[in-house]
Amino acid sequence: VVKNIRTIKGRQRTAWAPEGLIAEGSRTVSDPNTGRVTEVEIVVPAWIYNEVVNTEKPEILTMHRDYFLLDGGIARFVYRLARRAAGRTSAEWLFRTLYERSGSTGTFKEFSRSLRTLIQTNELPEYMLSEVAGKAGPLLRMAYRGTILEGEA
C-alpha cells in the first residue's frame, strides 16, 4: 500500500493507493493464425522488485529458473521445501512426513518410490538429494550443491 500525505488549505489529508500483491498488470500476445500464446508479460509490483533487486538479503523466496522445467508435483514440492528448509545448507525430512505434507493422493509406497527416483536422477536445481537411514524410517537429505557435508569430503 502506498501512503501519500498532503496538506490542502491547512488540513492534512491521507490518501491510500493499494499496490498489487502479486502483479500490477499483465499482457499476452497470441499468434493470430494458431491462437497460441507467444508472449506473456507480467508487471511486478515495485515492492517485490525492490526486495529482490535492491536488498542484500531479500525476504522473498526466489526460485531457480530450472524449477519451471521440473516434471511432476513431487519434484516441485521437494524443491520448494529445500529452498525453505535447507537454504544454503542442508536439511533432512522423514519420508513419512514429506508424504503427509505433500498432499499426495497416491500410497506412501508409491510416494517413496517417486522420491527414490528423484534421488537417483539428482536433477533438482541447486540441491543434491540422498536417502539416509533414520530411527523412525528413511530420511530425505537435501543439501545445497555448494555445501560439503561431513563424511562426503
Side-chain angles (χ1 to χ4, degrees):
V1 174
V2 176
K3 186 176 180 182
N4 184 11
I5 301 174
R6 60 185 185 179
T7 304
I8 300 174
K9 294 185 182 180
R11 291 181 47 190
Q12 194 176 50
R13 301 186 79 182
T14 304
W16 295 89
E19 281 187 354
L21 183 60
I22 306 283
E24 289 289 320
S26 63
R27 179 178 78 99
T28 59
V29 177
S30 300
D31 182 317
N33 297 322
T34 64
R36 294 186 66 180
V37 174
T38 57
E39 295 176 38
V40 175
E41 178 183 291
I42 299 172
V43 180
V44 178
W47 71 269
I48 291 178
Y49 179 83
N50 288 331
E51 182 70 22
V52 172
V53 176
N54 298 326
T55 305
E56 190 171 319
K57 290 186 176 182
E59 293 185 18
I60 293 177
L61 186 63
T62 57
M63 303 298 222
H64 190 279
R65 67 175 19 139
D66 291 346
Y67 165 80
F68 300 99
L69 301 175
L70 292 174
D71 286 330
I74 293 174
R76 289 181 178 209
F77 167 74
V78 170
Y79 175 79
R80 290 190 310 266
L81 178 67
R83 287 289 292 125
R84 258 191 337 268
R88 300 234 183 241
T89 60
S90 66
E92 295 176 352
W93 287 75
L94 279 169
F95 276 34
R96 175 66 64 184
T97 303
L98 293 173
Y99 172 68
E100 291 166 358
R101 290 186 172 208
S102 73
S104 177
T105 57
T107 65
F108 175 66
K109 186 176 181 178
E110 292 166 341
F111 180 84
S112 296
R113 186 176 21 252
S114 295
L115 269 185
R116 288 184 174 108
T117 300
L118 189 60
I119 291 167
Q120 285 178 341
T121 60
N122 206 18
E123 294 177 350
L124 214 59
E126 301 180 283
Y127 294 93
M128 293 181 292
L129 303 176
S130 58
E131 182 177 345
V132 182
K135 291 179 183 177
L139 294 165
L140 175 66
R141 176 182 285 165
M142 302 164 282
Y144 186 70
R145 291 191 188 271
T147 304
I148 298 175
L149 299 174
E150 294 177 30
E152 293 182 6

